[in-house]
Amino acid sequence: MEKDYLNGQDIDKYNDIINLEYHKTDTRPHMAISDRAAQFSPFSALVGYEDAIKETARFTDFKRELSDDEKDILSKKLNLLMERIGEQPEITITYFVPDSLKSGGTYEALTGRVKKVDMYERAITFIDNARILFDDISDMSGIIFKKTSG
């Protein structure tokens, strides 16, 4: 008689049970397939390690220092914005957002209608209450600045 091998073992010794009907118990509920699959999921001995690697690889920019000419242009735009604040002009501000987890940050742009320019707190507040500090602004653009752009 020819023998079959499974992983190097003789499977003839299982012939007496190989074709038996699967036993289903009436006393316990049937486990869902998704729950059965969970018991075979990979085990991670270093919980959080993969997240730490991703965080380390995440790119951040450094806040660049504006030149005197860029500061002058922003100052002119800010003065024009204050003159026309009653119109609640729509502008786009590019500004630096510091990263809360590591050094550096990202530059983002926000477009909206300006509600207030606060010289005391050195901030611009939009109608939706978004607030940007003067020191974080790298550029301002909008229709009201067309003649000021330099």
Side-chain angles (χ1 to χ4, degrees), residues 89-102:
E90 182 175 83
I91 65 169
T92 298
I93 296 180
T94 303
Y95 62 104
F96 185 78
V97 179
D99 195 294
S100 62
L101 300 176
K102 61 184 184 179

Side-chain angles (χ1 to χ4, degrees), residues 133-150:
L133 299 175
F134 292 173
D135 293 337
D136 293 333
I137 297 173
S138 66
D139 189 28
M140 289 192 289
S141 61
I143 295 172
I144 68 165
F145 303 126
K146 287 298 180 189
K147 293 181 182 178
T148 307
S149 295

